[in-house]
Amino acid sequence: MKQREWSKRWEVFPAKLITAYMKYHATTLIMRLYEHLASRSFTLVQLDKLTLDPFSAAKRRQKQGESPSLMESVREAWDANLIAYLADYSLHQIILAAGYYAYIRQRRQQQKRPNSPNNDGAELYAGSLALSFLKKSTLLAISRAVCLSFASLGGGIGNIIYPGWGYMFGFNMGDGFGATVVDEFDLNETPLQ
């Protein structure tokens, strides 16, 4: 039983690894695009806030004997990670849209072949598909906003307790907690389920 379970896991591992690798690099490319767009749209002061490394900034302030307030730390964490979360949201929105496109295309091809064994005769209703897509897009946006909010709060608290590493620990704990809060948002089901 155990051996069978592990063999199943190792069977899908290469595909999952490649998917994670591709998502990582796609998110990085989208981040660089957003940073470029921000450099054309915002002042240098605003751009510095959006591209700040909070870990290094906290260490630098600690050496100078400065200690920011909780709200300053939370705001800094929010600003510094906004582009990354927007890039992640954008990538998953593209994946969601591509999934709907593939689903609609497959269903239309099945409907063109009336004798196809996969053709259940059900029509595609644009309204229900659009509503389903809109629901999932909204849940995706809410989940990313909640995770960024909790991560920023955790990073701000961690930065106050132990500048630098406390930020890293708190940010990741907050992100994990935010992901747990929105875990009930099932974004992986197929359209119309």
Side-chain angles (χ1 to χ4, degrees), residues 95-120:
I95 292 169
L96 181 65
Y100 271 82
Y101 173 77
Y103 174 78
I104 291 168
R105 187 171 168 200
Q106 176 190 16
R107 292 293 303 222
R108 285 189 177 154
Q109 286 175 352
Q110 288 174 353
Q111 287 176 345
K112 287 180 183 177
R113 297 181 303 235
N115 298 333
S116 172
N118 294 333
N119 187 0
D120 58 6

Short mmCIF file of all heavy atoms in Angstrom, two decimals, residues 95-120:
data_model
loop_
_atom_site.label_atom_id
_atom_site.label_comp_id
_atom_site.label_asym_id
_atom_site.label_seq_id
_atom_site.Cartn_x
_atom_site.Cartn_y
_atom_site.Cartn_z
N ILE A 95 -3.40 31.80 -16.03
CA ILE A 95 -3.62 30.35 -16.02
C ILE A 95 -5.11 30.02 -15.95
O ILE A 95 -5.60 29.14 -16.65
CB ILE A 95 -2.85 29.70 -14.85
CG1 ILE A 95 -1.35 29.79 -15.09
CG2 ILE A 95 -3.28 28.25 -14.64
CD1 ILE A 95 -0.50 29.42 -13.88
N LEU A 96 -5.84 30.77 -15.12
CA LEU A 96 -7.29 30.56 -15.00
C LEU A 96 -7.98 30.85 -16.33
O LEU A 96 -8.82 30.06 -16.79
CB LEU A 96 -7.85 31.47 -13.89
CG LEU A 96 -9.34 31.37 -13.60
CD1 LEU A 96 -9.68 29.98 -13.07
CD2 LEU A 96 -9.75 32.44 -12.61
N ALA A 97 -7.64 31.96 -16.97
CA ALA A 97 -8.24 32.30 -18.25
C ALA A 97 -7.91 31.26 -19.32
O ALA A 97 -8.77 30.87 -20.12
CB ALA A 97 -7.78 33.69 -18.69
N ALA A 98 -6.68 30.79 -19.33
CA ALA A 98 -6.28 29.77 -20.30
C ALA A 98 -7.05 28.47 -20.06
O ALA A 98 -7.43 27.78 -21.01
CB ALA A 98 -4.77 29.52 -20.22
N GLY A 99 -7.28 28.13 -18.79
CA GLY A 99 -8.05 26.93 -18.47
C GLY A 99 -9.49 27.03 -18.97
O GLY A 99 -10.03 26.07 -19.54
N TYR A 100 -10.11 28.18 -18.80
CA TYR A 100 -11.46 28.38 -19.32
C TYR A 100 -11.48 28.34 -20.84
O TYR A 100 -12.37 27.76 -21.44
CB TYR A 100 -12.05 29.71 -18.81
CG TYR A 100 -12.77 29.53 -17.50
CD1 TYR A 100 -12.07 29.50 -16.31
CD2 TYR A 100 -14.14 29.36 -17.46
CE1 TYR A 100 -12.72 29.32 -15.11
CE2 TYR A 100 -14.81 29.17 -16.26
CZ TYR A 100 -14.09 29.16 -15.09
OH TYR A 100 -14.74 28.96 -13.90
N TYR A 101 -10.48 28.95 -21.45
CA TYR A 101 -10.41 28.92 -22.91
C TYR A 101 -10.29 27.48 -23.41
O TYR A 101 -11.00 27.08 -24.35
CB TYR A 101 -9.22 29.76 -23.41
CG TYR A 101 -8.99 29.62 -24.89
CD1 TYR A 101 -9.80 30.29 -25.80
CD2 TYR A 101 -7.96 28.82 -25.38
CE1 TYR A 101 -9.60 30.17 -27.16
CE2 TYR A 101 -7.76 28.68 -26.74
CZ TYR A 101 -8.57 29.35 -27.63
OH TYR A 101 -8.38 29.21 -28.98
N ALA A 102 -9.42 26.70 -22.80
CA ALA A 102 -9.24 25.30 -23.21
C ALA A 102 -10.52 24.50 -22.99
O ALA A 102 -10.89 23.66 -23.83
CB ALA A 102 -8.08 24.68 -22.45
N TYR A 103 -11.21 24.76 -21.89
CA TYR A 103 -12.45 24.05 -21.60
C TYR A 103 -13.51 24.35 -22.66
O TYR A 103 -14.16 23.45 -23.19
CB TYR A 103 -12.95 24.44 -20.21
CG TYR A 103 -14.30 23.86 -19.87
CD1 TYR A 103 -14.44 22.53 -19.48
CD2 TYR A 103 -15.44 24.65 -19.94
CE1 TYR A 103 -15.68 22.01 -19.18
CE2 TYR A 103 -16.68 24.14 -19.64
CZ TYR A 103 -16.80 22.83 -19.26
OH TYR A 103 -18.03 22.31 -18.95
N ILE A 104 -13.68 25.64 -22.96
CA ILE A 104 -14.69 26.04 -23.95
C ILE A 104 -14.35 25.47 -25.32
O ILE A 104 -15.22 24.96 -26.03
CB ILE A 104 -14.82 27.58 -23.99
CG1 ILE A 104 -15.43 28.08 -22.69
CG2 ILE A 104 -15.63 28.04 -25.19
CD1 ILE A 104 -15.35 29.58 -22.50
N ARG A 105 -13.09 25.54 -25.67
CA ARG A 105 -12.67 25.02 -26.98
C ARG A 105 -12.93 23.50 -27.08
O ARG A 105 -13.43 23.02 -28.09
CB ARG A 105 -11.19 25.32 -27.17
CG ARG A 105 -10.69 24.99 -28.52
CD ARG A 105 -9.29 25.50 -28.70
NE ARG A 105 -8.74 24.91 -29.90
CZ ARG A 105 -7.47 24.84 -30.15
NH1 ARG A 105 -6.60 25.33 -29.30
NH2 ARG A 105 -7.04 24.29 -31.26
N GLN A 106 -12.62 22.77 -26.03
CA GLN A 106 -12.83 21.33 -26.02
C GLN A 106 -14.32 21.00 -26.12
O GLN A 106 -14.72 20.12 -26.88
CB GLN A 106 -12.25 20.72 -24.74
CG GLN A 106 -12.52 19.24 -24.60
CD GLN A 106 -12.15 18.73 -23.23
OE1 GLN A 106 -11.97 19.50 -22.29
NE2 GLN A 106 -12.05 17.43 -23.10
N ARG A 107 -15.13 21.72 -25.37
CA ARG A 107 -16.58 21.47 -25.40
C ARG A 107 -17.16 21.78 -26.78
O ARG A 107 -18.03 21.06 -27.27
CB ARG A 107 -17.28 22.30 -24.33
CG ARG A 107 -16.98 21.90 -22.91
CD ARG A 107 -17.52 20.54 -22.62
NE ARG A 107 -18.96 20.55 -22.88
CZ ARG A 107 -19.86 19.99 -22.14
NH1 ARG A 107 -19.51 19.36 -21.06
NH2 ARG A 107 -21.13 20.06 -22.46
N ARG A 108 -16.71 22.84 -27.40
CA ARG A 108 -17.21 23.18 -28.74
C ARG A 108 -16.81 22.14 -29.76
O ARG A 108 -17.58 21.81 -30.66
CB ARG A 108 -16.71 24.56 -29.16
CG ARG A 108 -17.45 25.67 -28.45
CD ARG A 108 -17.12 27.01 -29.00
NE ARG A 108 -17.90 28.03 -28.32
CZ ARG A 108 -17.55 29.28 -28.19
NH1 ARG A 108 -16.40 29.70 -28.70
NH2 ARG A 108 -18.31 30.13 -27.57
N GLN A 109 -15.61 21.61 -29.65
CA GLN A 109 -15.18 20.55 -30.57
C GLN A 109 -16.01 19.29 -30.36
O GLN A 109 -16.36 18.61 -31.32
CB GLN A 109 -13.69 20.25 -30.37
CG GLN A 109 -12.79 21.32 -30.93
CD GLN A 109 -11.32 21.06 -30.63
OE1 GLN A 109 -10.98 20.15 -29.88
NE2 GLN A 109 -10.45 21.88 -31.21
N GLN A 110 -16.34 18.98 -29.12
CA GLN A 110 -17.19 17.82 -28.84
C GLN A 110 -18.59 18.00 -29.38
O GLN A 110 -19.20 17.05 -29.87
CB GLN A 110 -17.25 17.55 -27.33
CG GLN A 110 -15.99 17.01 -26.74
CD GLN A 110 -16.06 16.90 -25.23
OE1 GLN A 110 -17.01 17.34 -24.60
NE2 GLN A 110 -15.03 16.32 -24.64
N GLN A 111 -19.09 19.23 -29.32
CA GLN A 111 -20.44 19.49 -29.82
C GLN A 111 -20.52 19.40 -31.34
O GLN A 111 -21.57 19.10 -31.90
CB GLN A 111 -20.93 20.86 -29.35
CG GLN A 111 -21.27 20.88 -27.88
CD GLN A 111 -21.66 22.26 -27.40
OE1 GLN A 111 -21.43 23.26 -28.08
NE2 GLN A 111 -22.24 22.32 -26.21
N LYS A 112 -19.40 19.65 -32.01
CA LYS A 112 -19.38 19.55 -33.48
C LYS A 112 -19.46 18.11 -33.94
O LYS A 112 -19.87 17.84 -35.05
CB LYS A 112 -18.10 20.21 -34.04
CG LYS A 112 -18.14 21.72 -33.97
CD LYS A 112 -16.87 22.29 -34.54
CE LYS A 112 -16.86 23.81 -34.40
NZ LYS A 112 -15.60 24.40 -34.87
N ARG A 113 -19.05 17.17 -33.08
CA ARG A 113 -19.10 15.74 -33.40
C ARG A 113 -20.22 15.11 -32.58
O ARG A 113 -20.01 14.70 -31.44
CB ARG A 113 -17.78 15.08 -33.09
CG ARG A 113 -16.61 15.61 -33.91
CD ARG A 113 -15.35 14.88 -33.54
NE ARG A 113 -15.10 15.00 -32.10
CZ ARG A 113 -13.99 15.45 -31.57
NH1 ARG A 113 -13.00 15.81 -32.33
NH2 ARG A 113 -13.84 15.53 -30.26
N PRO A 114 -21.41 15.01 -33.12
CA PRO A 114 -22.54 14.51 -32.33
C PRO A 114 -22.40 13.05 -31.90
O PRO A 114 -22.98 12.65 -30.90
CB PRO A 114 -23.74 14.69 -33.26
CG PRO A 114 -23.20 14.94 -34.61
CD PRO A 114 -21.77 15.37 -34.47
N ASN A 115 -21.62 12.26 -32.60
CA ASN A 115 -21.46 10.84 -32.24
C ASN A 115 -20.29 10.58 -31.31
O ASN A 115 -19.97 9.44 -31.02
CB ASN A 115 -21.30 10.01 -33.52
CG ASN A 115 -22.52 10.09 -34.40
OD1 ASN A 115 -23.62 10.31 -33.91
ND2 ASN A 115 -22.33 9.92 -35.70
N SER A 116 -19.65 11.65 -30.84
CA SER A 116 -18.50 11.51 -29.95
C SER A 116 -18.94 10.92 -28.61
O SER A 116 -19.98 11.31 -28.06
CB SER A 116 -17.85 12.87 -29.73
OG SER A 116 -16.85 12.79 -28.74
N PRO A 117 -18.17 9.95 -28.08
CA PRO A 117 -18.54 9.36 -26.78
C PRO A 117 -18.48 10.36 -25.63
O PRO A 117 -19.15 10.17 -24.61
CB PRO A 117 -17.53 8.23 -26.57
CG PRO A 117 -16.40 8.53 -27.49
CD PRO A 117 -16.96 9.35 -28.61
N ASN A 118 -17.72 11.43 -25.77
CA ASN A 118 -17.61 12.45 -24.71
C ASN A 118 -18.67 13.53 -24.82
O ASN A 118 -18.74 14.41 -23.98
CB ASN A 118 -16.23 13.11 -24.75
CG ASN A 118 -15.13 12.14 -24.39
OD1 ASN A 118 -15.36 11.18 -23.67
ND2 ASN A 118 -13.95 12.37 -24.92
N ASN A 119 -19.48 13.50 -25.86
CA ASN A 119 -20.50 14.52 -26.05
C ASN A 119 -21.73 14.15 -25.24
O ASN A 119 -22.45 13.21 -25.56
CB ASN A 119 -20.86 14.65 -27.54
CG ASN A 119 -21.78 15.81 -27.81
OD1 ASN A 119 -22.16 16.53 -26.89
ND2 ASN A 119 -22.15 15.97 -29.07
N ASP A 120 -21.97 14.89 -24.18
CA ASP A 120 -23.13 14.60 -23.32
C ASP A 120 -24.35 15.41 -23.73
O ASP A 120 -25.40 15.33 -23.08
CB ASP A 120 -22.80 14.85 -21.85
CG ASP A 120 -22.35 16.26 -21.57
OD1 ASP A 120 -22.39 17.10 -22.50
OD2 ASP A 120 -21.95 16.53 -20.42
#
